[in-house]
Amino acid sequence: MKLGRLNHIGIATPSIAESVAHFRGTMGATKIHEPFDLEAQGVKVCFVDTPTDSGMNGTQIELIEPLSDSSPIAGFLAKNPLGGQHHICFEVEDIEDARKWFEEQGKRILGPTRIGAHGTPIFFLHPKDMMGQLTEIMETPKEGAHWSN
Amino acid sequence: MKLGRLNHIGIATPSIAESVAHFRGTMGATKIHEPFDLEAQGVKVCFVDTPTDSGMNGTQIELIEPLSDSSPIAGFLAKNPLGGQHHICFEVEDIEDARKWFEEQGKRILGPTRIGAHGTPIFFLHPKDMMGQLTEIMETPKEGAHWSN
């Protein structure tokens, strides 16, 4: 497998509104997308773009807020009430090839491949098999594809 | 202040050698720099490059391993023995302007401005003032400058 783009880093927050105010007001972010619910994953999501030398196509910050107490990130926030870094997400060209690759490496995959926040297939890998990092693998959006956001 | 490049995400690890094997062997990283000691901060450091659409100038992974039990990241690893996400680092044009900006915002700055892993001035902001994220602010390397790595 070849390392793909670091698409985003996922940051859990008790309040997307407060995190947006933080990134806009304190950190100076200028391109912040509209928040939306990703009900299949039990979270509200909001992407913050970061600049590169050639534009605003850098690694995104993905703010995630639980939709309910049974959200997968509710436990994380119970331990980290202010929020904090939750996962990292790398792109791959083909999600099925990637799934097979990680299975062959003996890495535990958390649940089925499903549609992620960018509207392309994703899966998560167990942090205990990934040097402590909850790692999301996401298929690169095809050019011209509809994005969910 | 204007949001700068997400220069790197810092990942603490009990072993840079194991993390390099993970990123090279499992994740498919191809550009991994030589590790070096950053004694002023009590850590060994190793940068892993990630791709963008235009090259290998994406947000880097900064692997950090404690140089001793008194290293600032020793406590983090005691709580997270496998390692994990430790900090995020954004670039700014002028480190003194940025320091003044965050002071004006009432954000606690951890210690003096000092030289970081890329050979430019940096400082850290208290995670409790930054929505739970230990945040490093780093002056963008000037074109043609010597990099420490």
Side-chain angles (χ1 to χ4, degrees):
Chain A
M1 208 184 77
K2 196 177 154 195
L3 190 71
R5 282 184 74 236
L6 181 56
N7 183 276
H8 64 260
I9 59 171
I11 293 184
T13 172
S15 162
I16 281 183
E18 279 178 43
S19 286
V20 164
H22 170 76
F23 274 101
R24 196 189 303 277
T26 302
M27 297 303 296
T30 53
K31 193 163 174 196
I32 300 178
H33 297 253
E34 278 299 310
F36 62 98
D37 293 351
L38 194 61
E39 290 188 10
Q41 295 187 38
V43 290
K44 179 180 281 202
V45 174
C46 179
F47 284 104
V48 178
D49 290 1
T50 72
T52 67
D53 298 335
S54 57
M56 286 300 288
N57 58 343
T59 291
Q60 289 177 309
I61 309 289
E62 180 190 42
L63 302 169
I64 43 179
E65 176 190 320
L67 283 176
S68 74
D69 289 347
S70 61
S71 169
I73 64 164
F76 180 94
L77 285 169
K79 284 185 210 157
N80 306 276
L82 292 172
Q85 293 178 70
H86 180 260
H87 68 270
I88 54 178
C89 175
F90 287 99
E91 293 180 16
V92 293
E93 279 183 34
D94 185 292
I95 200 79
E96 289 309 317
D97 287 353
R99 195 170 172 109
K100 198 173 157 198
W101 166 259
F102 285 108
E103 279 171 353
E104 284 167 4
Q105 305 287 310
K107 304 298 183 189
R108 278 167 287 180
I109 298 176
L110 301 167
T113 300
R114 51 201 184 277
I115 298 300
H118 279 312
T120 70
I122 63 110
F123 59 81
F124 282 91
L125 292 153
H126 200 300
K128 288 201 174 161
D129 294 344
M130 300 297 286
M131 302 290 295
Q133 299 134 52
L134 178 59
T135 305
E136 180 180 354
I137 302 296
M138 161 190 161
E139 193 167 278
T140 303
K142 301 289 177 290
E143 220 175 331
H146 274 293
W147 284 45
S148 64
N149 194 39
Chain B
M1 207 184 78
K2 197 178 153 194
L3 189 72
R5 281 185 75 235
L6 180 57
N7 183 277
H8 64 260
I9 59 170
I11 293 183
T13 173
S15 162
I16 280 182
E18 279 179 44
S19 286
V20 165
H22 169 76
F23 274 101
R24 197 189 302 278
T26 301
M27 297 302 298
T30 53
K31 193 162 174 198
I32 300 178
H33 298 253
E34 278 298 310
F36 61 99
D37 292 352
L38 193 63
E39 289 187 12
Q41 296 187 37
V43 289
K44 177 180 285 204
V45 174
C46 179
F47 283 104
V48 178
D49 289 1
T50 72
T52 68
D53 298 335
S54 58
M56 286 300 288
N57 59 343
T59 292
Q60 290 176 309
I61 308 290
E62 181 189 42
L63 301 168
I64 43 180
E65 175 189 320
L67 283 175
S68 75
D69 290 346
S70 60
S71 168
I73 63 161
F76 180 92
L77 285 170
K79 283 185 211 159
N80 306 276
L82 292 171
Q85 294 180 67
H86 180 262
H87 67 272
I88 54 179
C89 175
F90 286 98
E91 294 182 13
V92 294
E93 279 183 33
D94 185 291
I95 199 78
E96 288 309 319
D97 288 352
R99 194 171 173 109
K100 199 173 158 201
W101 167 258
F102 286 108
E103 279 170 353
E104 284 167 1
Q105 305 288 312
K107 306 297 182 189
R108 279 167 286 181
I109 298 176
L110 301 167
T113 301
R114 51 199 184 277
I115 298 299
H118 278 312
T120 71
I122 62 112
F123 60 80
F124 282 91
L125 292 153
H126 200 300
K128 288 201 175 161
D129 294 344
M130 300 297 284
M131 302 289 297
Q133 299 134 52
L134 177 60
T135 305
E136 180 180 355
I137 302 296
M138 160 189 164
E139 193 166 277
T140 302
K142 300 287 178 292
E143 220 175 332
H146 275 292
W147 283 45
S148 64
N149 193 37

